[in-house]
């Protein structure tokens, strides 16, 4: 089992049409964002322009969560509103226009991956997924089989569990919790 703590302060920024995006992880690490050859990518972005057109990614499923306020958005010309921390799921090839400024969490997963899910959790979780992503919404202690990991707001903990061992997770505060199996 491989456990990595990826700090918000260590994520690298790049420009997208509506602001800045901070990449935490692209998987596999040999993948290239521009080539769209990744299995999944985790980032956080600022939405600074209104309206903002989201970048399309053919062949990817996307999870987006606003971290600082609600999201007023159009998906394929249909108006929707998502509250702070409410999980939005959509096809990355959809036409998406944001009418909100703010900061988001973004997880893109290749359509080739059959099983993935993102949710908010704040208690105890028993899991055996091959990959788990745990994104802190505030200062949090996450215990993995009783070993504590201290996370600052917007830090990411990634667990690679290729042998699908049973893992007991305990969260001191709310976190985004993603599971993925190949």
């Amino acid at each position: 089992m491989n456990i990595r703590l990826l700090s918000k302060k260590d994520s690298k920024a790049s420009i997208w049409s509506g602001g800045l995006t901070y990449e935490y992880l692209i998987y596999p690490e040999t993948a290239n964002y521009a080539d769209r050859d990744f299995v999944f990518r985790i980032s956080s972005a600022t939405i600074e322009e209104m309206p903002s057109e989201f970048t399309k990614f053919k062949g990817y499923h996307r999870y987006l969560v606003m971290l600082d306020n609600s999201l007023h958005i159009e998906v394929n010309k249909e108006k929707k509103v998502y509250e702070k921390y409410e999980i939005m799921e959509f096809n990355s090839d959809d036409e998406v226009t944001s009418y909100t400024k703010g900061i988001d969490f973004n997880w893109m997963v290749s359509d080739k991956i059959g099983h993935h899910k993102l949710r908010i959790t704040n208690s105890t979780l028993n899991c055996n997924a091959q990959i788990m992503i745990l994104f802190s919404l505030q200062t949090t202690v996450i215990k993995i089989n009783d070993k504590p990991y201290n996370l600052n707001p917007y830090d990411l903990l990634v667990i690679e569990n290729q042998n699908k061992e049973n893992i007991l997770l305990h969260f001191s505060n709310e976190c985004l919790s993603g599971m993925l199996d190949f």
Side-chain angles (χ1 to χ4, degrees):
M1 184 167 31
N2 182 26
I3 300 172
R4 291 186 285 168
L5 177 58
L6 305 169
S7 173
K8 164 69 174 167
K9 67 179 174 23
D10 295 332
S11 61
K12 57 184 176 183
S14 57
I15 297 170
W16 72 283
S17 64
L20 295 174
T21 181
Y22 297 86
E23 182 175 280
Y24 285 85
L25 178 68
I26 193 162
Y27 188 91
E29 291 180 20
T30 56
N32 186 321
Y33 173 76
D35 292 340
R36 311 272 204 270
D37 63 350
F38 53 91
V39 173
F40 69 87
R41 179 180 185 258
I42 299 169
S43 62
S44 178
T46 62
I47 305 171
E48 300 170 19
E49 300 292 324
M50 287 191 338
S52 293
E53 300 291 328
F54 284 18
T55 307
K56 289 186 177 188
F57 286 83
K58 187 174 178 71
Y60 287 88
H61 184 84
R62 196 160 168 180
Y63 297 93
L64 188 132
V65 179
M66 287 303 290
L67 301 175
D68 59 350
N69 61 17
S70 61
L71 176 65
H72 295 260
I73 200 157
E74 280 185 12
V75 179
N76 299 323
K77 309 257 188 268
E78 181 184 345
K79 292 182 184 207
K80 298 181 178 192
V81 177
Y82 291 87
E83 297 304 320
K84 179 180 175 180
Y85 300 155
E86 185 178 359
I87 298 169
M88 175 186 174
E89 289 187 57
F90 60 101
N91 181 322
S92 268
D93 200 28
D94 288 342
E95 289 184 29
V96 180
T97 305
S98 171
Y99 296 94
T100 304
K101 291 183 179 183
I103 301 169
D104 70 24
F105 166 86
N106 188 0
W107 185 29
M108 290 184 276
V109 181
S110 171
D111 286 343
K112 296 174 185 172
I113 302 302
H115 182 71
H116 49 84
K117 189 67 185 162
L118 183 70
R119 63 182 171 187
I120 292 183
T121 188
N122 64 355
S123 58
T124 301
L125 183 63
N126 203 354
C127 185
N128 68 350
Q130 286 176 299
I131 294 182
M132 287 164 267
I133 62 165
L134 309 168
F135 187 83
S136 62
L137 300 172
Q138 53 197 311
T139 301
T140 304
V141 176
I142 300 175
K143 288 185 181 176
I144 302 173
N145 295 334
D146 290 324
K147 182 178 179 191
Y149 293 84
N150 297 302
L151 284 74
N152 291 316
Y154 309 159
D155 284 353
L156 176 70
L157 197 62
V158 179
I159 305 168
E160 293 179 74
N161 183 22
Q162 297 305 327
N163 295 332
K164 296 189 64 121
E165 297 173 42
N166 204 28
I167 300 170
L168 182 63
L169 303 163
H170 177 77
F171 304 86
S172 67
N173 285 309
E174 278 190 331
C175 289
L176 293 173
S177 169
M179 314 313 177
L180 183 144
D181 283 306
F182 296 98

